[in-house]
């Protein structure tokens, strides 16, 4: 029953990517067509063992030197068992490569019947989109495979519908009963308050922070079996997959600290780290060893959060009690030097830059603890930064974020991968146990997901934890009437846009025209804020049908510059702001690293439209030539309706309290610069914080804004300033325009409304009346109010029903 080898430290799901980069989140859900019976061969050559009635992972291996159709079989511990027999693989592999099907395997119970010495039976369950049922069925039949579907008598032998385990004699349990029992166990546990080591932590923790500290310490020190494991007759069994081993599984040391933003998670974590410096009960010899090599915690965060950790360390710990090293910019290459510190602070970008550097000191250390701050950064498991942090070695692993789900339920899979929580860290098991039930039987899937999250995470809200301790926060929507000139222009463009976009709303065309839809929406949003943000030639506002721009460099340059004007464009592969932007000959934009990795795929096609693609069809984006310092000259001196309203609100606030500080958020850096001159003329002292600034510059601006008597207005880029920084010196927040994801806005306003705030906080959202902005707000409410919509949202992509809502289409 045992593998003759260790479970690998490196968990990389890249070889499971039998779907296109977007399919797992695209909303085109695959349904069970049926199953075929076949054999797992070559088992004598591999260490992976199967104990009967067990889920197995089927992983396409297109680069196999002996068989280009190879499909390897892995057990729950990601150890290879063998391969699907060649004759079956030769039929399934092409269908997998064309993304027509996905496959899952279950080894039936063979304990009584026995099996061949070097073969194992397996049921290969085939999933495809409903519209492809006939195509796939015909292809399987043509190739001589016998598909057992729901209309066949043998379908009752399928073990895909439920996964069962034997317990208490002949009682059979379904998967959902297992989840229910685990959920009941979780509910029995109560949070216990724990005081931090006061010889290191000088600040008094709030009650919820003491409870959080108690939970963190419990998760790191408990010797309980991981969730969904039981001990039976001297063996350890995973009750979900039926995998059995005589070796006790390691406890799951770590989890997700998902407390609401502004609840003081950093102080709680510093208190946890402080426990590492407490004297142990071991011998003096052991203590001497620990002095030479401290229990070092590696903290990974965005650049904007670095200053927060430095400040919090100074504010909450006694001088000299904890040592911190900044592994950022100029840094040591000696791992022994890093292990002299209690905390090593670095950024996701720094780790990505060292991914191919084998001598990186970060890789050579098994860290005592690994903390990902603002961990939603890794929400797409396919991104480089997600892969890099998942591959780091550490005894304890923590993902820390106030918004664990930003775009949809699939965000959580990246956390499973990082935490190495088997079997959910394996994509086929995640899809089988969580994502497919969510898509097809939502309530069932949601219950499973909630149980799974409860086993790993702790989340408290401000309302429940800081009741009476934090000043209230009010959110107002200020509807702005466009001027007659703005209204005429807006209505003209929206009418034309509606005609164009309505032609895109069909399953066959939406992905091909996805970039055009984004372009139209971008222009409509810009008119709502200020007409001066749009080009003088209104013909450029509406994109034409996508065409090959390979031989039209000027058109190529215009399109890229056009899309770069907003900070809200994310790479469709990694769902993060683009880095080293690339435009393809079929007019789609990606991060350079993302598209190059995709082109290593044997299909070599655009992930958006399936247009054949090679590296010669990729073009680098032109550099941003906008002025970083001076204000942009506005062709029309008259203020826009929205800017006029904003100035009116700021002046009213200043008249009430001249020292009151305000933060103005916008996604558009160009708009922030355009606001400088009107603010200057109105007598406001202001500062600007945006994505063009490095971490040091951002820290200096935040510090300057905190000074009494200085600037009273901070112009802040939503993406650059929405996470990790403390702006409690302000008590007014203005959103110049709505954002797709309500979680991003909540992150931004909670830079102001958090522990340390002493005044009532007022948030004002400026929304252009009777425009696409109003409909964006409705879309936000759909995401907030409906758990189904929130969990099924396609990873940041705009779905057809969303487009209809935005353009008032039936």
């Amino acid at each position: 029953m045992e593998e003759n080898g260790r479970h690998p430290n490196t968990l990389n799901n890249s070889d499971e990517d039998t779907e296109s980069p977007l399919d797992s989140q695209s909303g085109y859900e695959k349904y069970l067509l049926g199953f075929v019976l076949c054999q797992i061969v070559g088992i004598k050559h591999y260490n992976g063992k199967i104990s009967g009635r067990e889920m197995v992972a089927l992983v396409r291996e297109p680069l196999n030197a002996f068989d280009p159709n190879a499909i390897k079989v892995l057990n729950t511990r990601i150890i290879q068992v063998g391969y699907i027999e060649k004759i079956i693989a030769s039929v399934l592999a092409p269908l997998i490569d064309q993304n027509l099907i996905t496959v899952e395997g279950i080894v039936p119970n063979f304990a009584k019947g026995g099996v061949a010495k070097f073969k194992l039976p397996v049921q290969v369950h085939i999933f495809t989109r409903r519209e492809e049922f006939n195509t796939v069925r015909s292809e399987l039949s043509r190739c001589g495979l016998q598909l057992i579907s729901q209309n066949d008598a043998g379908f009752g032998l399928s073990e895909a519908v439920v996964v069962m385990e034997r317990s208490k004699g002949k009682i059979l349990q379904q998967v959902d009963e297992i989840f229910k029992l685990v959920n009941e166990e979780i509910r029995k546990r109560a949070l216990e308050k724990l005081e931090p080591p006061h010889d290191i932590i000088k600040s008094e923790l709030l009650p919820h922070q003491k409870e959080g500290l108690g939970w963190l310490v419990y998760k790191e020190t408990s010797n309980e079996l991981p969730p969904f494991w039981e001990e039976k007759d001297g063996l350890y069994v995973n009750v979900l997959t039926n995998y059995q081993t005589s070796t006790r599984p390691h406890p799951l040391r770590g989890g997700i600290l998902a407390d609401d933003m502004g609840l003081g998670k950093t102080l709680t974590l510093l208190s946890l780290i402080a426990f590492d410096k407490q004297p142990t009960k071991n011998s003096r010899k052991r203590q001497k060893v620990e002095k030479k090599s401290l229990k070092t915690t590696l903290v990974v965060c965005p650049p904007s959060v670095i200053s927060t950790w430095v400040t919090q360390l100074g504010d909450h710990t006694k001088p000299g009690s904890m040592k911190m090293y900044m592994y950022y910019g100029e840094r040591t290459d000696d791992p022994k030097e890093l292990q002299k510190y209690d905390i090593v602070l670095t950024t996701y970008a720094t780790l990505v830059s060292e991914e191919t550097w084998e001598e990186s000191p970060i890789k050579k250390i098994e860290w005592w603890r690994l903390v990902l701050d603002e961990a939603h950064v890794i929400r797409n498991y396919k991104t480089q930064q997600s892969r890099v942090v998942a591959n780091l070695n550490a005894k304890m692993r923590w993902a820390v974020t106030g918004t664990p789900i930003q775009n949809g339920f699939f965000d959580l899979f990246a956390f499973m991968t990082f935490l190495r929580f088997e079997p959910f860290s394996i994509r086929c098991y995640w899809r089988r146990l969580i994502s497919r039930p969510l898509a097809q039987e939502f309530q069932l899937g949601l219950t499973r997901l909630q149980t799974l999250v409860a086993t790993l995470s702790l989340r408290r809200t401000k309302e429940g934890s800081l009741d009476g301790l934090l000043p209230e926060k009010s959110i107002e929507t200020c509807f702005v009437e466009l001027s007659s000139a703005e209204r005429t222009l807006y209505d003209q463009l929206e009418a034309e846009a509606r005609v164009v976009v309505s032609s895109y709303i069909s399953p066959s065309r939406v992905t091909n025209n996805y970039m055009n839809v984004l372009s139209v929406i971008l222009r409509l949003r810009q008119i709502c804020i200020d007409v001066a943000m749009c080009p003088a030639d209104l013909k450029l506002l509406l994109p034409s049908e996508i065409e090959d721009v390979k031989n039209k460099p000027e058109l190529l340059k215009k399109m890229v510059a056009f899309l770069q004007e907003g900070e809200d464009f994310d790479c469709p592969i990694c769902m993060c702001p683009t880095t080293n932007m690339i435009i393809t000959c079929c007019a789609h934009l990606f991060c350079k690293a993302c598209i190059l990795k995709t082109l290593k795929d044997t299909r070599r096609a655009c992930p958006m439209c399936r247009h054949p693609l090679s590296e010669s069809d990729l073009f680098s984006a032109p550099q941003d030539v906008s002025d970083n310092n001076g204000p942009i000259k506005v062709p029309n001196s008259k203020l826009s309706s929205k800017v006029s309203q904003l100035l009116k609100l700021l002046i009213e606030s200043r008249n009430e309290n001249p020292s009151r500080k305000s933060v103005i958020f916008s996604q558009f850096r160009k708009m922030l610069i355009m606001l400088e001159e009107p603010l200057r003329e109105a007598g406001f002292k202001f500062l600007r914080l945006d994505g063009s600034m490095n971490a040091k510059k951002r820290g200096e601006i935040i510090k300057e804004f905190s000074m009494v008597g200085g600037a009273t207005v901070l112009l802040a880029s939503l993406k650059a300033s929405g996470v990790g920084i403390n702006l409690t010196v302000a008590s007014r927040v203005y959103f110049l325009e709505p954002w797709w994801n309500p979680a991003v806005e909540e992150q931004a306003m909670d830079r102001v409304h958090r522990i340390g705030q002493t005044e009532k906080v007022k948030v004002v959202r400026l929304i252009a009346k009777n425009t696409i902005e109003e409909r964006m707000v409705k879309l936000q409410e759909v995401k907030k109010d409906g758990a189904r919509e929130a969990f099924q949202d396609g990873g940041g992509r705009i779905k057809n029903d969303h487009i209809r809502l935005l353009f008032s289409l039936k």
Side-chain angles (χ1 to χ4, degrees), residues 163-275:
V163 179
M164 298 173 289
E165 57 135 10
R166 292 194 176 276
S167 66
K168 299 180 182 178
K170 296 184 178 180
I171 299 176
L172 298 176
Q173 282 185 309
Q174 292 186 358
V175 170
D176 297 301
E177 184 64 23
I178 295 170
F179 274 93
K180 182 180 177 181
L181 291 173
V182 170
N183 191 40
E184 288 173 356
E185 287 299 315
I186 295 168
R187 290 177 179 275
K188 293 177 183 177
R189 297 173 186 165
L191 291 175
E192 295 184 7
K193 295 184 177 69
L194 185 64
E195 291 285 342
H198 289 295
D199 57 334
I200 298 173
I201 302 297
K202 64 183 182 182
S203 301
E204 179 65 24
L205 271 61
L206 295 170
H208 76 275
Q209 291 174 311
K210 293 177 182 178
E211 287 183 344
L213 180 59
W215 181 78
L216 292 169
V217 171
Y218 168 78
K219 294 291 286 185
E220 287 195 347
T221 58
S222 171
N223 287 317
E224 292 181 352
L225 285 170
F228 303 102
W229 283 86
E230 291 181 3
E231 184 177 4
K232 295 181 180 180
D233 302 324
L235 293 176
Y236 299 95
V237 181
N238 186 298
V239 295
L240 285 176
T241 66
N242 206 42
Y243 174 82
Q244 298 179 19
T245 174
S246 59
T247 303
R248 182 183 175 91
H250 293 294
L252 189 66
R253 301 207 184 280
I256 306 170
L257 180 56
D259 279 349
D260 212 350
M261 295 163 289
L263 283 181
K265 294 188 287 292
T266 306
L267 173 55
T268 308
L269 288 164
L270 285 172
S271 300
L272 174 68
I273 296 169
F275 275 111

Side-chain angles (χ1 to χ4, degrees), residues 510-709:
V510 67
T511 55
N512 293 45
N513 295 293
Y514 176 65
M515 201 60 61
N516 283 357
V517 173
L518 282 182
S519 302
V520 172
I521 292 171
L522 174 68
R523 287 311 187 196
L524 289 173
R525 294 175 63 206
Q526 288 177 329
I527 291 177
C528 292
I529 305 167
D530 197 320
V531 174
M533 293 185 70
C534 298
D537 185 358
L538 292 182
K539 292 179 181 178
L540 294 176
L541 294 178
L542 287 171
S544 59
E545 286 288 323
I546 290 179
E547 59 183 302
D548 191 325
V549 295
K550 187 187 300 182
N551 299 316
K552 298 182 180 180
E554 287 305 311
L555 178 60
L556 180 71
K557 186 174 180 178
K558 282 182 181 179
M559 180 171 280
V560 177
F562 169 77
L563 290 168
Q564 278 185 316
E565 289 182 14
E567 287 194 358
D568 55 352
F569 181 76
D570 289 346
C571 168
I573 295 176
C574 67
M575 300 304 168
C576 295
T578 51
T579 55
N580 297 323
M581 186 184 287
I582 291 292
I583 189 168
T584 67
C585 66
C586 47
H588 292 114
L589 298 178
F590 303 97
C591 297
K592 183 178 180 180
C594 292
I595 191 62
L596 287 177
K597 181 176 183 295
T598 299
L599 289 186
K600 290 180 181 178
D601 193 328
T602 53
R603 290 184 293 275
R604 298 184 69 80
C606 174
M608 294 300 296
C609 67
R610 307 296 189 217
H611 187 288
L613 218 55
S614 66
E615 290 188 27
S616 63
D617 297 320
L618 307 181
F619 301 85
S620 296
Q623 292 185 351
D624 186 1
V625 295
S626 62
D627 182 5
N628 286 349
N629 301 312
I632 290 176
K633 293 184 179 179
V634 183
N636 186 342
S637 59
K638 185 178 179 181
L639 297 177
S640 72
S641 298
K642 190 170 278 193
V643 172
S644 296
Q645 183 62 41
L646 174 66
L647 286 174
K648 180 181 176 182
L649 294 171
L650 286 170
I651 291 170
E652 287 177 356
S653 178
R654 181 175 62 185
N655 291 339
E656 291 176 6
N657 183 351
S659 63
R660 179 181 290 151
K661 293 181 184 277
S662 304
V663 181
I664 301 170
F665 284 110
S666 176
Q667 291 109 50
F668 302 104
R669 179 175 163 273
K670 180 178 179 179
M671 191 63 227
L672 295 176
I673 299 173
M674 288 172 60
L675 279 172
E676 292 186 0
E677 191 58 35
L679 286 172
R680 191 177 288 111
E681 290 181 359
F684 287 97
K685 291 181 181 180
F686 59 86
L687 293 166
R688 178 162 50 87
L689 186 65
D690 64 43
S692 68
M693 302 165 181
N694 60 30
K696 182 180 179 182
K697 180 65 174 175
R698 294 182 199 185
E700 291 172 352
I701 288 174
I702 294 168
K703 185 176 180 180
E704 186 178 349
F705 185 59
S706 301
M707 293 179 179
V708 178

Side-chain angles (χ1 to χ4, degrees), residues 499-511:
V499 174
V500 173
V501 172
S502 62
S503 68
Y504 295 162
I505 308 299
S506 67
S508 62
R509 302 192 69 198
V510 67
T511 55

